[in-house]
Amino acid sequence: MDFSTLTLVVIIGCYFCHCLSTANDTITSGQFFRDPQTLISANGVFKLGFFSPQNSSFRYLGIWYLSDSNVIWVANRNQPLTINSSGLVQISVHGNLVVLDSNKRVVWSSNVTHIATNSTAKLLETGNLVLLNGVTGQSIWESFQHPSHALVPSMKFGTNKRTGEKVRITSWRSPSDPSVGYYSTTLEHPNTPEMFFWLNETKPYHRSGPWNNQIFIGSPEMSPGYLNGWSMMTDIEDETVYLSYNLPNQSYFGIMTLNPQGQIVCSWWNNEKLVQKMAMQRTVCDLYGYCGAFATCNVQSSPICSCLTGYGPKNVEEWNRKNWTSGCVRSEPLHCGEHTNASEVRKDVFLKLENMKVPDFVHRSDSLEDECKAECLENCSCVAFAYDRGIGCMVWSGDLIDIQKFSSGGVDLYIREPPSEIEKHSDTRRKKRFIIPVGVGVPIGMLILAGCLYLSWKCTDKSTGKIYSQRQGRNQKQVKLNDELPLFSFEELVNATHNFHSSNELGKGGFGSVYKGQLKEGAQIAVKRLSETSGQGLEECMNEVLVISKLQHRNLVKLLGCCIKQEENMLVYEYMPNKSLDVILFDPVKKKDLDWPKRFNIIEGISRGLLYLHRDSRLKIVHRDLKVSNILLDEELNPKISDFGMARIFGGNDMQTNTRRVVGTFGYMSPEYVFRGLVSEKLDVFSFGVLLLEIISGRKISSYFGCDQSLSLLGFAWKLWNEKDIQSLIDPEICNPNNVNDIVRCVHIGLLCLQNLAKERPSMATVVSMLNSEILNLPCPSHPAFVERQIASSAESFQQNNTAHSINNVTVTVMMQGR
Ligand SMILES: *[C@@H]1O[C@H](CO)[C@@H](O)[C@H](O)[C@H]1NC(C)=O
Ligand SMILES: *[C@@H]1O[C@H](CO)[C@@H](O)[C@H](O)[C@H]1NC(C)=O
Ligand SMILES: *[C@@H]1O[C@H](CO)[C@@H](O)[C@H](O)[C@H]1NC(C)=O
Ligand SMILES: *[C@@H]1O[C@H](CO)[C@@H](O)[C@H](O)[C@H]1NC(C)=O
Ligand SMILES: *[C@@H]1O[C@H](CO)[C@@H](O)[C@H](O)[C@H]1NC(C)=O
Ligand SMILES: *[C@@H]1O[C@H](CO)[C@@H](O)[C@H](O)[C@H]1NC(C)=O
Ligand SMILES: *[C@@H]1O[C@H](CO)[C@@H](O)[C@H](O)[C@H]1NC(C)=O
Ligand SMILES: *[C@@H]1O[C@H](CO)[C@@H](O)[C@H](O)[C@H]1NC(C)=O
Ligand SMILES: *[C@@H]1O[C@H](CO)[C@@H](O)[C@H](O)[C@H]1NC(C)=O
Ligand SMILES: *[C@@H]1O[C@H](CO)[C@@H](O)[C@H](O)[C@H]1NC(C)=O
């Protein structure tokens, strides 16, 4: 440090101590400040003072972050001061904080009764303005307890269970008028808390769906990217349930406001730079009860509203005119408890609806997952139930209102139906299920095989009320109404694949072959026929399939069902027309279709799918076998991760485990896994880094570089990185001056994922934030693993020895007995 920097440091230091010593974040009795003076929080980012909104000639006392265009609180929102009236803020003789106009008239007061002693007002570093008892120092009033239009970190947005008292956030009337507007939001139903948005305080216009400890289940757009840090707490002492959010650290700040149109707008800052501002979009289906009672709303269907199965429009003529207000009514009575025949009780059954926003007026019960259905079945007033791990058993009685079908997210909702209704509808229902286009899994794991065993065991064990058996002329089909996976008959799959004809074969791997098929209804499927031997414990697999069948994310391939017939075990997946990523990426002609935006979309999709596995699915899952051939592409080239055969589930707090069997694909496996059998989410992060380099370079991980071909792809990338020549790594198809900075940034993120030490690699959550540029400054990567050839060359030799098992010339998944 030379002399001049030292001087600078001293000067800056003194500047700060000066500021601190004369900190003006507080006023005490007898003190006041006047427009345009301000109070400034000790960290310098919040100010309390007078401001005028854009286009307004009035003055308001408010608190803002950085500049008065980011107002987080307004005091006299309904009693504005005129521009020349020179507002004044002071502690009144009664100890309240008050705002006076030029005639010394009180226009606003903190309005606390019985303040016995001197008080002081202080603007805290969180942006909270508190009024403190001058003697005891206790807080007697806080702006955070009386918010206006915005929610900021560490504010408690809550509802008192006992008194019913609520914190209400109310929009401005217009962008230039902070007075109380038409829209407001509160936290309702403290036992299953959800956010309600109100029009004129009384009419609900949107609800978020209940909180499941991670998200509001009726708001699938809530993604971890910007919802990082939300939590729902219960203050046991005063019986208050509240929502709050806490940011990862001091360098971040966020404001959530309710704008004058009733939309939520989120703004995020990092190091005082605005990094994101977004308004949550709503559709008509998000309008509370848009389709009326017993009807679902689906923006992707036409008409947008449809009655639930077993229900018909209350007023057909109105309904046909697309006036949905009256909703639907039951067309055939339920059987509940009815004994139509002395020897047979015709029990009601449940129809499963997937990806649903659950209706309003939920009752939560303590039933466990498998008791939830029985509880509903036994109570004749129960018309629907749903189960969510984070919430538990939810049941409904009375009108079902505000139901919505999402394309992804949401939960499974089970609607009570008389058995005759199901007979009528099961056929069309199945058809619908398969028309939804998605993709095909090529190599799939054996755990699903165990899933089939599990299901067949279930079928025979407790069939009553669980599985509805339907006889349909030629063959007997079993339609599972409310379990995770439907069963297909063997004949059905034989017909669909022309008796597993070789011309229908899509691929072959260590666990069996995959065939393309077409169901009679017309839907295309991919059928994985598993080979008979499997090394994994049955019990373990049973556990896993239950989990895997619950995974739902638009970047994960979907399992449609399975089939078991003695030794034959088959899995049915969505068919993916564009096959897997390697088919396009490594084809000199086809790769031209993958421009940079498409490749980035693929990279981002994979990262979101992985984030879901690692964190958001509520089960911690490590995929363990991520590679280009396991990334399938739908029509629009959106990526879907497939093959969960190797996936490993972690319990609650386990972060890492040791495995005796090392399975995976050479080149994609991280060093701690290859050498020590250590499995953690950082294994997938490493594989993701490899994928990233492959996607950007258009080269396989098994290619070699350098003059003597001694460098692996990772080594080559590292060499170019150090030579500051990353451009030479980029696939010429995508390399152009407009993209190059974005691509280099991606390579940078890739190198961070490939670092030798697992703990240095970022988590998937961080990777997603980095890709979205929520994190702007990336750390410098350290030396990656496997820069030299030896590991990769064993992949090569392995591949050569096993060409018989590998039709598409893809890398082969290997299994080694661990040490
Ligand atoms: C606090 O300090 C800032 C800058 O030093 C000044 O602009 C402001 O008027 C002061 N406020 C009061 C109430 O003295
Ligand atoms: C302010 O007025 C200008 C001109 O009338 C208009 O373009 C702008 O949108 C207004 N801004 C706000 C916040 O109302
Ligand atoms: C405010 O004061 C300025 C200067 O004293 C004057 O020109 C203006 O007309 C006043 N505005 C109002 C609304 O009284
Ligand atoms: C303060 O209380 C008085 C009387 O209860 C009420 O009229 C006034 O609107 C209140 N002011 C504020 C700012 O709440
Ligand atoms: C209130 O504060 C004033 C000024 O600081 C002081 O003179 C007075 O004694 C205080 N009163 C009480 C009850 O503490
Ligand atoms: C809400 O209240 C405002 C003011 O009273 C009124 O103009 C508006 O029409 C109301 N909106 C609805 C939907 O009732
Ligand atoms: C905040 O988090 C970011 C990224 O997670 C990190 O780079 C930064 O050093 C952290 N800042 C503080 C003050 O901890
Ligand atoms: C829709 O039907 C309801 C109930 O019958 C009626 O009150 C309303 O006026 C109708 N709306 C329209 C736009 O026709
Ligand atoms: C009851 O149902 C059984 C079989 O479903 C039938 O054989 C029997 O005749 C029925 N009895 C009456 C009283 O309907
Ligand atoms: C049946 O459900 C209703 C509504 O949820 C509830 O009020 C009632 O207590 C339940 N009856 C029984 C026997 O559980």
Side-chain angles (χ1 to χ4, degrees), residues 1 19 145 217-218 227 268 428 438 539 543 603 609 613 625 796:
M1 198 184 281
C19 281
Q145 288 168 353
I217 59 174
L227 281 162
W268 295 103
T428 49
V438 211
E539 211 172 311
N543 176 37
I603 291 170
L613 288 179
D625 197 18
E796 181 184 51

Side-chain angles (χ1 to χ4, degrees), residues 27-44:
I27 53 170
T28 54
S29 353
Q31 287 188 318
F32 65 88
F33 74 90
R34 211 181 261 289
D35 193 3
Q37 282 179 311
T38 51
L39 288 191
I40 303 174
S41 64
N43 55 3

